Amino acid sequence: MCEVLSPGLAVSVLKAIFQEVHVQSLMQLDRHTVYSIITNFMGTREEELKGLGADFTFGFIQVMDGEKDPRNLLVAFQIVHDLITKNYALGPFVEELFEVTSCYFPIDFTPPPNDPHGIQREDLILSLRAVLASTPQFAEFLLPLLIEKMDSDLQSAKLDSLQTLTACCAIYGQKELQEFLPSLWSSLRREVFQTASEKVEAECLAALHGLSACLSRSVLSSDTEDLLDSFLGSILQDCRHHLCEPDMKLVWPSAKLLQAAAGASLRAYHRVTRSVLPLLLEQYTKHPQSSQRRTILEMLLGFLELQQKWGHVEEGEAGCTLLSLQAPICSVVFSALTDPSVQLQLVGIRALIVLGSLQGFLSPSDLELVVDHLIRLALHEEDSQSSEAAMEAAGSLAPIYPKVFSGRMVPRLEEELQSEREEESSRDHCSLQQRCLQALAAVSIHTSIVRETVPVLLQHLRKVQKGSKARNAQDVVSVCQSLHRVALQCQQDAEGCWYYHQTVVPCLLAMAVQAATQESTHPPLGKALLEEEVLAAMVPVISAATTHLSPELAAQSISHVVPLFLDGEVSFLPQNSFPCSFQPFEDGECLEAQRRLVVLLMAFVCSLPRNVAIPQQERLLRELLALSCSCNCPFTATTAAKCFAGLVNKHPAGQQLDEILQLAVNRMEPGLAEGPRRTQALTLLLWVTKALVLRYHPLSSRLTDKLLGLLGDVELGPAAADGFSLLMAESPDVLHKDCHADVRIMFRQRFFTDNVPKLVQGFHGAGPDVKANYLKGLSHVLNHLPKPVLVTELPMLLSLLLEALSCSDRVVQLSTLSCLQPLLLEAPQIMSLHVDTLVTKFLSLASSPTMAVRIAALRCAHALTSLPTTVLLPYKARVIRALAKPLDDKKRLVRKEAVAARGEWFLLGSPGR
């Protein structure tokens, strides 16, 4: 409509509204229409309206004056904002425009319940703030108002005033602030010194930061006062002396105020730090107590962290201040690192990280001292907090100074690993070696350091894997854990990732093959590398080294690994002189050790990107299938089944996949029916079903039905029921997104919809000896289902869950309790209908012989208190009496849950609850 009006008509319409209509006497909807007309004209006829000059501003002031409806105010505030930002003439009506809007400040509006318009208090606050902070012309009127409201007893008014002041600082200049700076500083100082509210303190500091930044933007001339200097001088005068009293209440508020002002600009930082840093260094020397030194060092750290904003310390006056204090600052930090107080050490370590991040601050000799201190703390400090913090600090600084760390720290750690101290106990030596391994992993951030640390870790692995003692196995696991951490840190760097992969993976394979082939020829020589615990630790190392390879490099690597396992092609392995050939898929009892290494094949091929072609894949799948069904070793059979499932999950759809799946079904069905290897066949069924369920393959429903049928089997039923947990849970080594598996969204919801009705039906038709299997399977499915989905299905399933609590199977009890606890919190109305049964069951299970069940039952008893109080009060005395027994439980964790639950029941029905 506005577009078709003739030129000049918009002005005529508005003049008529301003002169003839008393807008505030109209109904809300009509007033809203007037505001909409003005908004539309401002959007389409801006030049015509600006031709009215200040008359348009005055006319709108008359229209808006007295408006009370929040719906209209949102539109009116936007009009005022547009008037200012689009440079409409305000003329002599600046104060009137301010008054007509500022009368609403601070906003005091609570939306009515079930408000259909959805206007919130925050909407009005932000809209009004945009108006008040839109022009410096309001400064002389607004700043006194803000100072007045800062003194208000209402926290909301304080917060709104402070946030508005911060917003104004972004557009104000020195001229607008000059007159009000003393009053503003006085109000801010008082609030920070006296407030008990963290929110108010944070907003005060933000406002002070804004004021300092605003004054920093001013261009100085020879005849003008440096307001920033005088303002910061006032702050220093009022706060500096408090820094000399590290035990007093005002030391931290003063430090925060100074840091807020100093962080606004490099000029402000220089002005503050040249006064404060020497004082803090002096106070650190004067105060010998560790607690006081910690406070002083934390304040010093806060100022040093501000310097990080501006890069190299050589830049500007602030850099000169820091460089002039380099020696005393380093001395203070290094003394903190040698202090007996752990808390002071931790602050010193944080300070080291900051100093190291300031490029150009630490001299080469200081850097060497830093590394020496980190080595000492990481390896020899008794407190684990300091040791772990030192390792994290080394990890933070190593990418900045890779040459120093690779040239000084890595050799020292290598030396400690190789040393054999006679005087130390075996336990102390193990602990030292463990810390060395962790430290090597922590610093392996930069590729150049990785090239130094990985050979050290592999050399140590070769050393510790020789022998058959239990300690050797644990040592190997420790090395693998460090290698895994290094692999994770290398993943985002293509060069480092490829170096790690081609160095570590062949080495691990060679050592494992060496151990397996020796075991085949000399069975009595048990090797640590062949233990399940060790092989399981090697899996994430190989997996992490493979998942982030580019397709080209992954294809290059897989072309060596698959022939190794299928054809015994060992030429690519280092030190490949083995006692006998490597044939893990051949028959023969003497090859059992070799077959265990299929787990390493699984780690590799199941972590490859989906677009990498696997050579001889069909043959590999057939070999894995045969091994999973025929091997007597549960570890090997399970590994082969997982590897087969991982490959099937990523296999492109088509005839080849259908054929291999049909072959798997043909092998599974006879194995499940009868024979000595029913367990292996069930394991294969579970993993293949999971692989197909994740990718929504049509065959998955047929295999799931077969699994449901096995719940009625007396022998395999319990294991089949536990298999539902495997189907629904995340798998740590295969069939998850990180290893590029084909995982469709909401597969759990789909599995629930398709199979829970069958589980319920099977439960009702099952004999008494197998009913528990159906309950266990159901509880596993529900326990892994997203809770919002579960709540919607709760009425149908609650009776079965309650029956599951009566099942004697501990796994069923624990899974059901874990499922019920969040439901008590999220669906209290439904659960309250069964409160009598729930109270009885939970109190009974609180005396279970199994600790995990006792803990879960007590947590559920605690969660019961979220039900309506009127429902629970009849049970209060009974529950409190029953919960007295677990207060004396022999396990601390059980006692802890009992105290929490009983406390909530004691408070039930109390005023204010």
Side-chain angles (χ1 to χ4, degrees), residues 849 851 854 885-895:
M851 184 184 78
R854 296 200 300 276
K885 182 182 177 183
L887 291 177
D888 294 326
D889 196 280
K890 60 184 178 181
K891 296 293 186 181
R892 181 184 62 84
L893 293 176
V894 177
R895 297 195 299 271

Side-chain angles (χ1 to χ4, degrees), residues 279-354:
L279 175 68
L280 291 175
L281 294 169
E282 178 189 338
Q283 292 302 311
Y284 185 91
T285 308
K286 279 185 178 180
H287 292 83
Q289 292 184 15
S290 295
S291 59
Q292 296 171 327
R293 288 189 161 192
R294 176 190 169 194
T295 301
I296 295 166
L297 186 56
E298 283 184 327
M299 290 189 288
L300 179 65
L301 177 59
F303 286 103
L304 293 175
E305 285 173 336
L306 294 175
Q307 173 65 39
Q308 291 176 303
K309 294 182 183 180
W310 297 292
H312 286 62
V313 292
E314 290 92 341
E315 296 173 7
E317 293 177 293
C320 295
T321 303
L322 273 184
L323 285 176
S324 67
L325 297 171
Q326 179 189 29
I329 288 175
C330 288
S331 175
V332 161
V333 172
F334 292 155
S335 75
L337 299 176
T338 56
D339 194 273
S341 166
V342 173
Q343 297 306 315
L344 183 53
Q345 285 179 14
L346 293 174
V347 181
I349 292 170
R350 284 166 48 206
L352 267 192
I353 297 174
V354 175

